[in-house]
Amino acid sequence: IQREIDRRIRCKCCFDVCYIDINHFKPYNDHYGFEKGDQVISSLGNIIRETAKNFPDIFVGHIGGDDFIVVCPYGTSELASESITKAFEELLPFFHGEDFIKGYYVSKNRKEEQEVFNLLSLTCAIVSNKTRHINSFAHLASIASEVKSEAKRLSRVTKNSVIFRDRRNE
């Protein structure tokens, strides 16, 4: 991932980076089990790979756990994110079984307390070097961390998948 981003920075290409994270994955994994959790991660990886085939010059990476990255030419990340999100949400009945009809599941939170969780959803946080001067992978990671935090906050408020583009200019 770092090599690809550094390559695009060196060639002065305008590109978007989309960090994709599964919302409520840890409690999902605790509630439904590791096998179902692995199916969710594998399914999302397959969706991202299949979506990438429809767009030119896209790089796909698995950061680890439930975090993925898509690097693509400027202006294509929102459409790609919409396609990924739509395909992921079509699998929610399979991922959640009977809980899908209720629209939630109950699991332990990080404090080991029972909590009601919304169905799985995605946070897609987009950063671009077209609007922000990005000079290194570390710099990009720092900006993306801020954007991802805001996107996760919005996702908690809306209780749905969120595609959030950093619109700040330098």
Side-chain angles (χ1 to χ4, degrees), residues 2-13 57:
Q2 184 173 349
R3 272 194 310 269
E4 178 63 20
I5 289 171
D6 286 342
R7 181 188 72 77
R8 291 186 191 222
I9 290 171
R10 279 193 316 276
C11 81
K12 298 186 183 344
C13 306
D57 197 25

Side-chain angles (χ1 to χ4, degrees), residues 7 20 31 41 43 89 99 105 111 123 127 132 136 141 146 158-159 164:
R7 181 188 72 77
I20 301 171
H31 180 71
I41 291 172
S43 295
E89 289 177 348
D99 290 335
Y105 62 101
K111 296 175 186 173
T123 292
V127 176
R132 302 285 302 256
S136 69
E146 295 171 12
T158 65
K159 301 178 179 169
F164 183 81

Side-chain angles (χ1 to χ4, degrees), residues 26-28 30-31 105-117:
K26 184 187 179 323
Y28 176 93
D30 292 345
H31 180 71
Y105 62 101
V106 179
S107 184
K108 289 187 177 180
N109 62 23
R110 294 185 186 271
K111 296 175 186 173
E112 294 297 311
E113 302 162 338
Q114 291 289 336
E115 185 176 329
V116 173
F117 289 93

Side-chain angles (χ1 to χ4, degrees), residues 103-146:
Y104 66 89
Y105 62 101
V106 179
S107 184
K108 289 187 177 180
N109 62 23
R110 294 185 186 271
K111 296 175 186 173
E112 294 297 311
E113 302 162 338
Q114 291 289 336
E115 185 176 329
V116 173
F117 289 93
N118 295 314
L119 303 179
L120 294 176
S121 60
L122 298 180
T123 292
C124 302
I126 302 170
V127 176
S128 177
N129 72 340
K130 174 109 173 151
T131 55
R132 302 285 302 256
H133 175 72
I134 297 172
N135 55 21
S136 69
F137 177 77
H139 185 216
L140 172 72
S142 173
I143 294 168
S145 177
E146 295 171 12

